[in-house]
Amino acid sequence: MWADLLPVGRLANGGYQRFAWTSADMACREWFRAEAGTRGMDVETDRNGNLWAWLGEPGPDSFVTGSHLDSVPGGGAYDGPLGLVSAFAAVDALQTRGCTPARPVAVVAFVDEEGARFGVACLGSRLSAGVADPERTLALTDSDGTRLDEAMRAQGHDPAHAGADPQALERIGVFVELHVEQGRALDAPIGLATAIWPHGRWRYDFTGEGNHAGTTALADRRDPMLSYAMTVLAARKQARLADALATFGKVVVDPGGTNAIAAGVTAWLDSRAPDEATLASLVAAIEQQAAERAERDGVRLRVTAESVTPPVSFPADQLDWAAEVLGNPPRLPTGAGHDAGVLAAAGVPTVMLFVRNPTGVSHSPAEHAELDDCLAGVAALTDLMVRHAC
Ligand code: HGY
Ligand code: MN
Ligand code: MN
């Protein structure tokens, strides 16, 4: 299974480019359907484009496991796909363990978890949970100006019914997402997530005055690049002082000419903190310093909150249930957002199962997990599936 999925959307440097509703995403969906088909699982695509493979009739109190198949730009092989490969492997293990499920079992692939193309994370699960407004969401555009609903239609998905799907969530008895750990905090083969930090994405638009790099005196410039550069440094300093995280990882310069002073710079801030108060004050401090510098540079600044995720604590009774089944593995919070966080926040009984990442590197071609730890993840996922469904 792993080998079949590995080449899909893979770049020359070994990273992945699997953006939602692109041909790479469609190839991933074909992989999902093929794996489900070989297991006699019926596949349905829900109103938001999420894929559900069912072992038995969809019904209440089902055991649902899965993750996502899309990636960040140049992402790693494990973030998302490890959860899906492990889910299908657990279904196989069910059968080798001689269990005929007494409750329905489903494998789900949530669409557009990374928000790499349209800017908002966890779109598939947020739409289904009713926490993303369909009209606003379908109007989101990618860097080419393509709307989400246009991208859906181009791949044969009708966006007309996108939105809350309470029936889909109500039939979930427990949702378990297996995911590669994305830090270095887990020093055992598997772990259980306790919480997800609050985090968000803010778009910074710095507007100055484009001009000739060779004939414009420094005093006559309104250079948005200066305001942007200072903001990146201010973000890092404020994050250090707040003992939190702030990252500018994406920037677009207009016009982007070597011999032209930029007219505009658009950059995206990703910020995360252990609690909402810290996050709010950190984001405010960065914006305030950016505004002061922009003022000095004669640059206009507009900041837009694009995707904000409140903190999530995974439900204690599911956490204790999973801990009891799995022999009490380590528990840890994470700064990474997940579909499991969206479902937990929507009141779905949810467990997040981590597989050790020896280096902690993620969102990079260097992302890796050892085979033995991956197999321990499959065994743990199977234990949970058997306990709930058999
Ligand atoms: O960015 C995140 O937290 C996750 O990878 N979507
Ligand atoms: Mn990710
Ligand atoms: Mn992920």
Side-chain angles (χ1 to χ4, degrees), residues 68 72 79 113-115 121-122 179 182 199 201 270 272 335-338 363:
H68 60 95
V72 294
D79 177 355
E113 188 275 346
E114 296 290 3
C122 297
H179 203 284
Q182 295 173 296
H199 59 283
R201 305 176 187 188
D270 176 311
R272 316 195 185 202
H338 298 284
H363 284 186

Side-chain angles (χ1 to χ4, degrees), residues 72-126:
V72 294
Y78 295 77
D79 177 355
L82 183 65
L84 269 312
V85 172
S86 303
F88 284 120
V91 167
D92 294 342
L94 259 196
Q95 282 153 9
T96 49
R97 291 199 194 179
C99 157
T100 310
R103 292 188 172 112
V105 170
V107 174
V108 62
F110 285 108
V111 66
D112 204 357
E113 188 275 346
E114 296 290 3
R117 182 175 173 190
F118 298 97
V120 178
C122 297
L123 272 187
S125 53
R126 282 181 201 245

Side-chain angles (χ1 to χ4, degrees), residues 9-390:
R10 189 183 179 114
L11 300 168
N13 71 352
Y16 285 85
Q17 200 92 339
R18 295 167 173 164
F19 293 174
W21 306 105
T22 62
S23 53
D25 187 13
M26 295 305 116
C28 287
R29 286 164 176 274
E30 280 322 301
W31 171 87
F32 182 96
R33 286 193 185 86
E35 292 305 338
T38 55
R39 291 165 177 82
M41 300 175 85
D42 294 332
V43 177
E44 63 181 32
T45 305
D46 71 19
R47 64 188 65 172
N48 298 311
N50 304 310
L51 284 174
W52 299 74
W54 286 94
L55 195 61
E57 278 302 304
D61 203 16
S62 54
F63 182 93
V64 179
T65 181
S67 190
H68 60 95
L69 291 166
D70 65 303
S71 76
V72 294
Y78 295 77
D79 177 355
L82 183 65
L84 269 312
V85 172
S86 303
F88 284 120
V91 167
D92 294 342
L94 259 196
Q95 282 153 9
T96 49
R97 291 199 194 179
C99 157
T100 310
R103 292 188 172 112
V105 170
V107 174
V108 62
F110 285 108
V111 66
D112 204 357
E113 188 275 346
E114 296 290 3
R117 182 175 173 190
F118 298 97
V120 178
C122 297
L123 272 187
S125 53
R126 282 181 201 245
L127 281 166
S128 295
V131 294
D133 170 70
E135 207 173 322
R136 272 220 341 256
T137 302
L138 293 173
L140 290 171
T141 54
D142 67 7
S143 53
D144 299 331
T146 305
R147 286 168 52 109
L148 172 57
D149 52 4
E150 291 164 348
M152 286 177 164
R153 278 193 210 96
Q155 298 295 0
H157 180 78
D158 177 6
H161 307 290
D165 192 349
Q167 293 80 6
L169 270 56
E170 276 154 17
R171 63 191 181 192
I172 300 175
V174 63
F175 173 64
V176 181
E177 178 167 5
L178 181 148
H179 203 284
V180 65
E181 157 63 356
Q182 295 173 296
R184 289 187 298 179
L186 177 58
D187 193 14
I190 61 165
L192 290 169
T194 54
I196 294 177
W197 279 16
H199 59 283
R201 305 176 187 188
W202 287 262
R203 175 185 165 128
Y204 274 64
D205 285 293
F206 300 91
T207 307
E209 181 182 56
N211 212 326
H212 195 301
T215 56
T216 312
L218 296 184
D220 296 338
R221 296 183 178 204
R222 294 197 292 117
D223 185 351
M225 204 63 108
L226 295 180
S227 314
Y228 163 65
M230 197 294 295
T231 302
V232 174
L233 295 172
R236 175 55 179 261
K237 179 175 178 185
Q238 292 304 318
R240 184 170 45 77
L241 294 175
D243 198 14
L245 301 172
T247 312
F248 277 95
K250 178 181 174 183
V251 59
V252 175
V253 182
D254 168 36
T258 306
N259 55 356
I261 302 166
V265 174
T266 298
W268 283 265
L269 167 69
D270 176 311
S271 193
R272 316 195 185 202
D275 60 84
E276 286 186 294
T278 304
L279 180 63
S281 63
L282 170 56
V283 167
I286 296 168
E287 180 169 345
Q288 197 231 324
Q289 295 199 6
E292 282 167 8
R293 179 65 202 228
E295 174 88 23
R296 272 175 47 194
D297 296 331
V299 164
R300 259 184 311 108
L301 169 64
R302 191 182 58 197
V303 179
T304 316
E306 283 202 335
S307 168
V308 182
T309 304
V312 172
S313 293
F314 286 101
D317 37 1
Q318 268 74 43
L319 195 50
D320 294 340
W321 168 75
E324 188 270 320
V325 174
L326 302 177
N328 209 21
R331 300 179 187 203
L332 60 161
T334 179
H338 298 284
D339 294 307
V342 174
L343 266 61
V348 174
T350 301
V351 171
M352 183 121 215
L353 179 58
F354 286 136
V355 170
R356 174 165 50 190
N357 173 339
T359 65
V361 171
S362 184
H363 284 186
S364 151
E367 184 181 83
H368 178 73
E370 297 300 337
L371 179 60
D372 286 351
D373 290 345
C374 294
L375 293 175
V378 171
L381 185 57
T382 309
D383 291 344
L384 295 172
M385 193 183 275
V386 167
R387 180 65 69 90
H388 182 84
C390 293

